[in-house]
Amino acid sequence: MRRVSLTRYLIEQQRDKQSIPSDLRLLIEVVSRACKAISNTVAKGALADVLGSAGSDNVQGEAQKKLDVISNEILLEANEWGGHLAAMASEEMEQPHQIPHRFPKGEYLLLFDPLDGSSNIDVNVSVGTIFSVLRCPDGVTEPDEKAFLQPGTKQVAAGFAVYGPSTLLVLTFGDGVAVFTLDREQGSFVLTQENVQIPEETAEFAINMSNQRHWEAPVRRYIDEVVAGATGPRKKDFNMRWIASMVADLYRILTRGGIFMYPVDAKRPGGRLRLMYEANPMAFIVEQAGGAATTGRKRVMELQPEELHQRVGLVIGSKKEVERVTRYHVE
Ligand code: AHG
Ligand code: MN
Ligand code: MN
């Protein structure tokens, strides 16, 4: 079997397919290196004293875990000096992070959720990193929040890592989705799946059922119908999964189909997940794998962002199921 490392894959994309410029290749290499470092740190767990709370809150008022802070630092340090970025933005930082003046600047903007699913860190369940790449607007040298406020359709690349039984990197440049598995002995990501396609037929849904009493009518209707199973209108039994790490839930959906929902509801009228570094990159990947992503009403990637840390309702996964939920909202 031909063994293709991430490095080789990226060089071939650049050289043979001419689908990515060299700066973008460097950017992805650097992000993947940071993900390796985060993976190693996550794996050490209590041995490296990285579990538990950092004792601080982030901009969204959520308690930061030590690993949220460490992962953010790893990504910032890895990406500062390569000359491929104009600025970075993160779930863990209120304002964009400028590239220090002693380093050259590039033409891309990088956004990330350094550690997704952080409630799972201390209980040894999969967590991950999500990232999105945009182009810096022409003529902008010190990108502020406004430079980042571009719709998801403008993404030039997106990906996520899952730190689970294996460490995986899922990647798109807008020309399909590829998956790489970390070979720890070699220290490199190896291509293990190309042209990922989300199965159309699905009988699995993911939603936090504890929010049921807050849901809007269309979500209630959809869930009532799938829960009714073979004796209900859907005429088949559905199964439920909720890992509470979107990276892990979405990787399952890429592999065997399904629908994931964190909709707006009476408790969180703006939604739970963040548009710029959670919903948009995941929507890009899922659409590239033949799935769909909406807010329940509109296509996620077409939303014009108004704030860096804005939240959004999210319905994502197998196309037909997402379309059904969206139809229930529109009806
Ligand atoms: P983060 O750890 O980056 O704040 O994101 C967690 C997100 C997502 O990964 C997951 O699907 C969801 O929050 C879990 O929400 P509940 O705690 O409501 O289950
Ligand atoms: Mn997250
Ligand atoms: Mn996070």
Side-chain angles (χ1 to χ4, degrees):
M1 194 186 99
R2 197 175 78 119
R3 202 179 142 99
V4 178
S5 65
L6 175 66
T7 301
R8 176 166 174 181
Y9 175 87
L10 293 173
I11 286 177
E12 287 177 353
Q13 292 290 319
Q14 186 201 333
R15 196 180 52 201
D16 305 343
K17 287 196 172 178
Q18 271 141 32
S19 58
I20 55 167
S22 63
D23 272 16
L24 186 55
R25 171 167 68 84
L26 174 65
L27 189 163
I28 301 297
E29 285 271 10
V30 174
V31 170
S32 80
R33 211 180 306 139
C35 289
K36 271 187 254 175
I38 297 171
S39 171
N40 286 334
T41 313
V42 167
K44 281 182 191 144
L47 298 178
D49 192 25
V50 293
L51 304 183
S53 156
S56 48
D57 285 353
N58 67 13
V59 46
Q60 6 244 339
E62 297 162 341
Q64 287 178 307
K65 299 278 186 174
K66 281 187 198 168
L67 273 169
D68 286 321
V69 177
I70 295 169
S71 306
N72 191 54
E73 283 299 314
I74 290 175
L75 279 155
L76 291 180
E77 274 171 29
N79 281 286
E80 254 180 7
W81 49 270
H84 51 284
L85 287 182
M88 293 177 250
S90 161
E91 180 190 348
E92 305 303 335
M93 300 181 302
E94 183 164 9
Q95 293 297 325
H97 178 88
Q98 300 301 328
I99 302 298
H101 287 294
R102 62 184 187 280
F103 300 125
K105 272 190 199 173
E107 56 181 305
Y108 295 105
L109 300 173
L110 176 66
L111 296 101
F112 46 79
D113 173 356
L115 210 71
D116 176 63
S118 31
S119 74
N120 281 321
I121 292 170
D122 298 341
V123 293
N124 199 34
V125 170
S126 297
V127 290
T129 298
I130 310 172
F131 65 92
S132 164
V133 184
L134 295 165
R135 225 177 271 284
C136 187
D138 285 340
V140 176
T141 49
E142 298 264 316
D144 57 4
E145 171 166 358
K146 237 197 276 151
F148 285 84
L149 302 181
Q150 307 177 34
T153 48
K154 297 276 185 197
Q155 292 172 104
V156 294
F160 68 92
V162 189
Y163 313 119
S166 306
T167 285
L168 303 177
L169 184 69
V170 180
L171 200 57
T172 189
F173 295 107
D175 180 25
V177 178
V179 180
F180 302 83
T181 303
L182 180 61
D183 180 333
R184 285 189 190 273
E185 276 123 59
Q186 302 288 333
S188 62
F189 280 105
V190 178
L191 181 65
T192 42
Q193 218 186 329
E194 251 181 314
N195 298 321
V196 177
Q197 285 295 316
I198 298 179
E200 286 217 352
E201 283 303 308
T202 172
E204 242 169 17
F205 67 98
I207 192 165
N208 184 340
M209 293 288 286
S210 71
N211 293 323
Q212 190 163 22
R213 69 187 186 284
H214 307 297
W215 291 343
E216 293 184 332
V219 173
R220 229 175 253 279
R221 173 180 169 194
Y222 178 80
I223 297 298
D224 282 349
E225 289 179 0
V226 296
V227 169
T231 56
R234 300 299 304 270
K235 297 190 171 56
K236 66 174 180 183
D237 288 338
F238 280 73
N239 199 0
M240 195 197 85
R241 288 286 182 273
W242 185 253
I243 302 175
S245 287
M246 184 172 46
V247 286
D249 277 314
L250 265 287
Y251 184 70
R252 183 190 62 251
I253 289 172
L254 286 172
T255 309
R256 65 179 194 211
I259 183 169
F260 171 101
M261 292 194 265
Y262 217 125
V264 299
D265 62 22
K267 188 176 156 201
R268 298 173 185 275
R272 157 85 160 92
L273 299 168
R274 273 66 46 120
L275 173 62
M276 302 290 299
Y277 40 80
E278 291 181 319
N280 267 341
M282 287 305 194
F284 191 18
I285 291 163
V286 164
E287 284 193 8
Q288 283 296 314
T294 73
T295 62
R297 292 172 170 86
K298 288 187 191 146
R299 183 178 171 219
V300 168
M301 290 219 287
E302 284 173 10
L303 297 178
Q304 174 57 51
E306 277 155 17
E307 281 169 49
L308 187 57
H309 298 288
Q310 109 183 39
R311 294 176 192 263
V312 71
L314 182 62
V315 178
I316 188 168
S318 291
K319 198 169 188 173
K320 281 189 189 151
E321 295 302 311
V322 172
E323 282 171 356
R324 179 184 283 269
V325 176
T326 311
R327 194 171 70 235
Y328 289 1
H329 279 82
V330 178
E331 271 170 24

